[in-house]
Amino acid sequence: MRQITAEQAAAVLRDGDTLLIGGSGGGHAVPDALLEAVGKRFRETGAPRGITALHPVGLGDGKTRGAGHLAQDGLLKRVVSGTFVNSPGIARLALDEKIEAYTMPQGAMSQLMREMAAGRAGLLTKVGLRTFVDPRIGGGRQSQCATEDLIEVVTLRGEEYLFYKPYTLDVAFIRGSAIDEAGNLSMEHEAVTLEMLSIAQAVRRQGGVVIAQAKQLVPRGTLHPKMVKVPGILVDAFVIVPDQWQTYETYDSAAYSGHHRVALDEVPRLPAGPRRIVARRGALELFEGAICNLGSGISTGIANVAAEEAMLDRICLTNEQGNIGGAPASGNEAGAASSPDAQIDQPYQFDFYDGGGLDLAFLSFAEFDAAGNVNVSRFGGRIVGPGGFINISQGAGRVVFGGTLTAGDSKKAVRQVEQISFSGPYARERGQEVLYVTERAVFRLGETGPELIEIAPGLDMERDVIGTMAFRPVVSPALRVMDAAIFADGPMGLAARLPARPARANADRLP
């Protein structure tokens, strides 16, 4: 097993290679030292040129780290990722038509890694149907120069599916906590484990090179075998980075890695304002034992509200990166969770989501329209991408979209969204329950689109709600005022009135 430097790892890449990168968001298991070395090599030598970068999750600190190291004109030919929100430099290259840019559902990309590892034809799934990743609508493209079809529509037994094609792979960059002299890579101090194993298996199956970044080198035989996430038989070389941080903002959180349990009163209370109002109204949809996902943005406040109401231990919050239970982190730390009950690999978390395992999904919106469609992926001159949004929103039994009704002078309830990240008509066909929660009003997905069902106390419906929208919603004949407790300063007393969990089928079999 070879120990090499980050510079030597960067030199492995050749012009036109496809680089598969593990990691998530704000530095969570991101092999940042390797990416930094690639960026430095290109600045100094002009090589490698025209590479394709694949990473299921967006990577970066919102500035220059992560995939941002690669955001140089000529280095990249193509980027395929769940999101560009963490790497604005990549988004800028896409907007300037300097790269072939695609954003795909994070879960589909994660699961595709596993399909490629097994040598299967690709990924067959319904995730993405009727959204902008459906090739009949856009095929996930975020730049006009991205002309290749990476997804096909197929019909199997009379039903439509999307087929995500596999890729030719040359090099993988992955990361863990410790690596032994035989190349066995552990991840016990990481905030997430993701699909590191599938990435290594997929690249090695095609004869590519797998390079691991780790914080420390330990003697062979000292790692517990159950802590090894990627066995040494799949690793070609490794780079030791002693000052490796757990995330870009946190050096080492024992709460993120599961080595320490955080008390509920350590979760901060949301300050007064629209975010608190939206999160508190969303929390009214919770019930005993509800299994939930919290998307990024305003909806992460559900965890803060549940903690403030002393009921975080009576529901199960999850995130797509694989954390189950605990308190999901927010901001640039999103993807981690404090004191989770379990951490599973990302592809299996998405299996659970796609299979209908979520009772509730709390997701943020950038805009929604008269048909009930929601956009989070491209708006206002920004390319964001869907991340896990499409998997989560399509798979959940009930979806609560949260956001403010306006953003400054801009309306967020628009006549037609710029990009369809969630299809209202498709949700209606499948009988999915959908709410749109704002600080001024609440809507539900009705027969033709959003229907106004609640209004904040003291507001004038025409002036303060409908007047701020680009379309006129149906108004429910049973329109009611939002619960006044949502707007009060103190706790709402949710723990005392948390509804019971609906009975499961076959639950009567248990004693």
Side-chain angles (χ1 to χ4, degrees):
M1 181 55 55
R2 301 179 186 177
Q3 179 177 351
I4 62 176
T5 65
E7 291 72 23
Q8 289 172 321
V12 169
L13 283 168
R14 299 175 180 174
D15 292 354
D17 273 354
T18 295
L19 172 64
L20 182 52
I21 312 166
S24 172
H28 306 57
V30 177
D32 199 76
L34 307 186
L35 297 175
E36 182 180 16
V38 173
K40 181 173 182 286
R41 177 191 171 200
F42 183 81
R43 285 193 300 275
E44 293 177 351
T45 69
R49 300 189 65 83
I51 70 171
T52 292
L54 302 177
H55 42 97
V57 194
L59 308 174
D61 60 349
K63 297 176 184 177
T64 59
R65 301 183 72 177
H69 291 302
L70 310 180
Q72 303 180 54
D73 191 8
L75 193 163
L76 293 166
K77 171 189 175 184
R78 174 184 294 179
V79 177
V80 186
S81 175
T83 176
F84 298 159
V85 69
N86 303 88
S87 48
I90 299 292
R92 174 50 55 192
L93 289 174
L95 289 168
D96 291 344
E97 295 293 327
K98 297 290 183 66
I99 59 172
E100 301 171 13
Y102 299 81
T103 57
M104 301 293 186
Q106 182 174 318
M109 286 195 69
S110 178
Q111 293 161 333
L112 180 59
M113 302 301 110
R114 191 174 57 195
E115 299 302 296
M116 290 192 296
R120 288 187 278 265
L123 178 68
L124 190 67
T125 177
K126 291 192 175 186
V127 171
L129 281 170
R130 310 276 285 275
T131 73
F132 82 99
V133 302
D134 188 316
R136 295 166 296 193
I137 299 176
R141 296 176 178 85
Q142 297 289 11
S143 59
Q144 293 181 8
C145 62
T147 57
E148 185 178 352
D149 291 326
L150 304 184
I151 304 174
E152 295 178 3
V153 179
V154 300
T155 301
L156 179 65
R157 296 178 179 173
E159 295 189 46
E160 283 189 342
Y161 293 85
L162 294 184
F163 176 70
Y164 292 77
K165 301 176 184 179
Y167 301 92
T168 299
L169 307 172
D170 298 295
V171 179
F173 285 171
I174 60 175
R175 188 185 110 177
S177 305
I179 194 165
D180 72 12
E181 295 159 332
N184 296 300
L185 183 70
S186 71
M187 298 188 70
E188 71 271 26
H189 291 291
E190 303 298 331
V192 291
T193 60
L194 306 168
E195 55 286 308
M196 293 294 179
L197 175 60
S198 295
I199 286 174
Q201 289 174 327
V203 171
R204 278 299 294 268
R205 180 188 168 273
Q206 295 192 27
V209 176
V210 177
I211 302 175
Q213 175 184 318
K215 188 171 185 176
Q216 62 176 325
L217 173 64
V218 299
R220 182 171 188 169
T222 59
L223 293 176
H224 192 293
K226 290 184 178 178
M227 293 295 101
V228 172
K229 183 54 63 175
V230 182
I233 59 173
L234 300 173
V235 178
D236 294 291
F238 61 88
V239 176
I240 300 299
V241 182
D243 60 347
Q244 175 175 291
W245 282 46
Q246 191 178 42
T247 75
Y248 291 135
E249 296 183 3
T250 301
Y251 177 69
D252 183 20
S253 166
Y256 284 173
S257 64
H259 289 89
H260 171 67
R261 305 295 266 185
V262 176
L264 294 183
D265 59 8
E266 293 184 36
V267 179
R269 179 183 184 273
L270 287 176
R275 184 183 179 198
R276 178 173 168 84
I277 293 170
V278 172
R280 281 159 73 92
R281 173 57 186 86
L284 294 182
E285 300 302 312
L286 293 168
F287 54 81
E288 190 78 47
I291 303 170
C292 315
N293 171 276
L294 307 184
S296 60
I298 200 167
S299 291
T300 59
I302 297 289
N304 305 76
V305 172
E308 182 184 358
E309 299 290 334
M311 49 180 261
L312 195 56
D313 59 345
R314 295 174 62 184
I315 58 176
C316 179
L317 302 181
T318 72
N319 62 28
E320 55 267 39
Q321 285 83 356
N323 286 296
I324 298 173
S330 58
N332 205 36
E333 295 280 80
S338 293
S339 308
D341 295 320
Q343 291 182 330
I344 65 175
D345 287 358
Q346 184 167 240
Y348 299 104
Q349 187 80 303
F350 277 111
D351 290 346
F352 179 67
Y353 286 1
D354 294 350
L358 287 172
D359 297 311
L360 288 162
F362 296 96
L363 300 167
S364 305
F365 66 78
E367 57 183 12
F368 66 95
D369 68 18
N373 299 315
V374 174
N375 176 22
V376 297
S377 49
R378 184 167 183 152
F379 51 89
R382 295 179 60 205
I383 300 175
V384 175
F389 180 95
I390 295 177
N391 293 82
I392 297 162
S393 61
Q394 282 192 208
R398 184 177 177 86
V399 187
V400 180
F401 294 114
T404 55
L405 199 52
T406 61
D409 296 329
S410 301
K411 297 177 179 179
K412 296 175 70 175
V414 298
R415 191 169 299 279
Q416 183 175 345
V417 294
E418 181 177 349
Q419 201 166 65
I420 300 174
S421 312
F422 173 83
S423 169
Y426 188 46
R428 190 163 49 246
E429 290 174 17
R430 295 182 292 115
Q432 194 174 25
E433 295 183 51
V434 181
L435 289 181
Y436 310 82
V437 174
T438 77
E439 83 286 14
R440 302 186 189 201
V442 179
F443 307 82
R444 74 171 185 91
L445 181 61
E447 291 301 316
T448 59
E451 176 186 357
L452 178 62
I453 59 172
E454 296 179 26
I455 186 170
L459 295 190
D460 179 86
M461 182 181 72
E462 291 292 339
R463 181 192 65 219
D464 300 321
V465 177
I466 296 177
T468 67
M469 303 171 65
F471 65 91
R472 186 173 189 86
V474 172
V475 178
S476 170
L479 178 67
R480 61 184 182 273
V481 177
M482 294 170 69
D483 191 330
I486 297 168
F487 304 88
D489 183 61
M492 299 185 289
L494 282 187
R497 52 179 172 142
L498 194 65
R501 181 180 181 84
R504 284 177 53 206
N506 297 319
D508 57 349
R509 296 188 181 193
L510 297 173

